[in-house]
Structures are given as structure tokens and as C-alpha cells.
Amino acid sequence: MSSLDEFGRIRLWTEGRQKADFLSRAGVVCGIGDDAAVVAGEGSGSEWLVAADAMVEQVHFLDETMGEADVGFKALAANVSDIAAMGGEPKFALVSVCVPPAWNEERMRRLYDGLYECAERYGVAVIGGDTTSAPRDLVVAVTAIGTVEAGRAIRRSGARSGQIVFLTGPTGLSAAGLHALQRIGAAEGAERARLADLLPQRLVQAHRRPVPSVKAGRILAQMGWGASLNDVSDGVASEAWEIAEASQVKLVLKEKLLPLSGELTAYAGDNGLRAADLALFGGEDYVLLGTADKSCEQEMRERLRAEGIPLFVIGEVEAGQPGVELESADTGLRRPLAKRGYNHFSEGTMQT
């Protein structure tokens, strides 16, 4: 097995395959390497955003952690979140499924119930796709298409020294919900029933039905506040590293500023887990992690609050070797923050 992780493999497979001038003539404004590609529009004052994602049974979900409708909802939500992370508005989706024998017509109908529920919620028109058989495991692959005002797409590469690092919501909830569901799946008899009675519903809901941050992304793009942006799909640490490397800066996160919800803290304490670890290394919360000029902070906070969206400043950007550091809540000392989270083809990842 190759030692390359997911992103190393993407670079190996795609880097240098097509020349920059060809991509430019084709209308590509931003290609491989961000949450979504940006493609020039036809004189309408807007640009197209295109994102693709897949959910694979046994890799992204199991029967004991996700119902059929949850799988459908989340498959589309992951792509809507990628559009949101660029500051865009989702418009269309193509849905392709590879269906094994165990997924009969009724199970697939429930999957599409969830998918269309997500589509209705975010105003996405499902306009096509493909259907094939599969030998064993279900695959749901979605391509989402959205729009953003020309020149307003927020990339990972815009972070600059002196900016704040922010989140638009708490993280770690989805990872805790997954942990709870997996504990129930591994238990038997009376212990299984006991754990089911104690199931933390908000955390489970966060895992099964994550909420893409479309409204927050649109505000940041329209107002020109977001210098860089990522959605928290693979975990705060992983997303922060992506911004740091794309922007060639250092992100310093402060452990004491992490927004830890009461439910997360209680669940972690009851189960021998560190809430901060779940918040940093868990994924699929779909809030936004980004950077912005300090001068924008108060106005951002007020505007987002008016829309019911919190703003948590969790660190700052510094010049230096690209990377991410964490300032300890106990000692105030900094240490390098591991590039952990969910990463295909990498050992020791947290599956969410």
C-alpha cells in the first residue's frame, strides 16, 4: 500500500496533467484543490461552482449508524456544504447510484426521500445522474452546481498574517454522535437497551443530518469578509492545515476559545473522551472555518447574529512556515497540531 494520503494521491494523479493556459481558455477560474471548482459564467456577472462527492457503504456509513433517508440527505448535504464553503448558492445536482442486491426498491425509495428532502430545504433542482448495479456495497455520488458573484468565490488561499481564525458554529457533535451509535452497535442485550435509552439525540442528529452553512457562506462572500474558507467536513485540524498550506501561512488555534457545546462536553466526560479532541479532529459538522481581517470582526459578528448564526474567533494567522499550532488551555504553550481528521488512504484517521 502506498504511503501517500488522500491529498497526496490527488496531486499524484492530477498535477500537471493539463496546462494552465488551456484551463484558462476553457474558463476555469479555480480548478482542483479547493472545496469546489470555479468556472467563468457567460457574461452574467456570476461564476459557476461545481463540486463532486461520493458516499460509500462501509466507508462513510453503516446500517447501525445511518438510516436510508439519512444516507440520501447527507449525500446531497455534503455537496451543498462544498458550495457553501466557496460562498456560493447551490442550484442543481446530478445523482449517480451504484446499487447492490441488498438495496431493494423500497430501501432506495427511502434513500431518495432523504435526498429530495435536502434538495427542497436548500433549493436544489435534481436534474439527472446515472444508475448502475454494484456487486456488494452501495455508492451514492453527487455532483452539485451552484453560483457565486464573479470574483467573490472564497478560496482556501486567501489567509494572511494578522487575520483572525473563526468558526460559524461548534464542532465535534457529529463525531460524538457517531461514537454513541457505534457503542450501541457493538453492545448486546440489556447493555444495548441501556445505551439506546441514553442516546444523545442532538449529537446523533448532527451526525445523521448535518446542516450546511449556506447562509453564512453567502453573507461572507457578498460582504467581502471571508479571506479564506473551508467547510468542516474532515475536522477542524485538517481544514486548518488545508488553509495554512494553500495560503502559505501559520494558523495558531487557541484551545480555550474552541466552542464546546454542553451536550458534547457532557458526553465526552461520561465516556472518557476529550471534548477538545472531538472538536478538533471530528468531522462532518459542516460549519465554516475561515479567516478574516480583524477590522471586520465586529460587523461580521453583528450581521451573522442577526441571522441566528454565531461567530467564534478561535485563533489568528501568523507569518511563518505553513502549518497549524495549538495553544494549550492549561499552559498557554504552543505545540504543532497534527493533521488529523478523516483522510482516505491514511492510517489513524477518525472515521465520521
Side-chain angles (χ1 to χ4, degrees):
M1 174 68 74
S2 169
S3 61
L4 291 174
D5 67 6
E6 175 185 355
F7 303 106
R9 291 178 186 229
I10 291 170
R11 287 190 294 270
L12 177 65
W13 295 336
T14 65
E15 202 165 57
R17 294 302 185 106
Q18 295 184 310
K19 294 185 181 299
D21 60 346
F22 164 75
L23 294 172
S24 179
R25 290 196 306 273
V28 177
V29 178
C30 174
I32 296 170
D34 222 303
D35 284 292
V38 184
V39 181
E42 294 295 330
S44 61
S46 64
E47 293 169 332
W48 292 106
L49 300 172
V50 185
D53 210 341
M55 287 185 64
V56 182
E57 191 174 8
Q58 304 300 324
V59 175
H60 297 96
F61 63 91
L62 303 167
D63 284 345
E64 59 261 35
T65 61
M66 301 274 284
E68 290 93 345
D70 299 323
V71 174
F73 186 99
K74 197 168 185 176
L76 182 55
N79 286 268
V80 170
S81 185
D82 282 336
I83 300 297
M86 305 294 290
E89 183 175 355
K91 295 288 190 181
F92 309 105
L94 299 164
V95 181
S96 296
V97 292
C98 303
V99 185
W103 284 74
N104 58 30
E105 288 84 355
E106 182 57 27
R107 294 189 72 190
M108 289 303 297
R109 184 191 64 78
R110 290 196 292 269
L111 183 148
Y112 273 90
D113 286 344
L115 189 145
Y116 275 101
E117 180 183 342
C118 184
E120 289 296 315
R121 184 176 300 183
Y122 295 100
V124 176
V126 179
I127 58 173
D130 191 23
T131 303
T132 70
S133 63
R136 189 183 67 179
D137 296 323
L138 178 74
V139 178
V140 184
V142 178
T143 298
I145 303 168
T147 59
V148 66
E149 294 82 359
R152 292 281 188 176
I154 309 173
R155 308 186 194 182
R156 298 170 181 167
S157 56
R160 298 291 180 266
S161 176
Q163 293 177 341
I164 59 171
V165 180
F166 66 84
L167 283 168
T168 62
T171 59
L173 281 69
S174 177
L178 174 63
H179 184 273
L181 291 165
Q182 288 178 326
R183 286 190 69 204
I184 292 175
E188 296 180 354
E191 177 63 6
R192 186 184 182 102
R194 184 187 74 83
L195 291 174
D197 288 340
L198 298 174
L199 197 62
Q201 291 300 323
R202 184 188 176 198
L203 304 183
V204 169
Q205 184 74 1
H207 177 66
R208 289 176 169 169
R209 299 291 181 105
V211 179
S213 302
V214 175
K215 185 178 292 185
R218 292 295 296 137
I219 291 171
L220 293 170
Q222 289 174 330
M223 301 304 296
W225 289 329
S228 65
L229 206 59
N230 249 355
D231 69 325
V232 181
S233 54
D234 297 326
V236 168
S238 178
E239 312 299 348
W241 266 96
E242 289 182 5
I243 290 174
E245 291 179 327
S247 301
Q248 293 293 289
V249 293
K250 180 192 298 183
L251 269 60
V252 180
L253 309 184
K254 299 185 179 184
E255 187 177 19
K256 68 180 180 181
L257 297 181
L258 293 175
L260 306 178
S261 77
E263 294 94 335
L264 175 68
T265 302
Y267 182 82
D270 291 343
N271 290 278
L273 303 171
R274 288 191 75 244
D277 285 346
L278 291 168
L280 287 167
F281 304 119
E284 294 186 336
D285 292 293
Y286 293 164
V287 299
L288 300 177
L289 172 75
T291 70
D293 291 342
K294 289 182 180 179
S295 60
C296 300
E297 179 183 346
Q298 188 58 38
E299 195 174 3
M300 282 175 58
R301 189 181 304 279
E302 293 174 358
R303 175 64 186 276
L304 290 171
R305 184 189 295 134
E307 297 291 340
I309 302 165
L311 180 74
F312 300 102
V313 175
I314 64 166
E316 57 195 19
V317 183
E318 294 183 354
Q321 185 71 20
V324 183
E325 293 182 348
L326 181 68
E327 184 179 290
S328 169
D330 297 323
T331 67
L333 298 177
R334 295 183 183 182
R335 60 176 174 82
L337 185 63
K339 193 190 298 186
R340 281 175 50 201
Y342 187 69
N343 184 309
H344 291 275
F345 313 110
S346 178
E347 295 182 0
T349 59
M350 178 178 288
Q351 174 70 69
T352 57

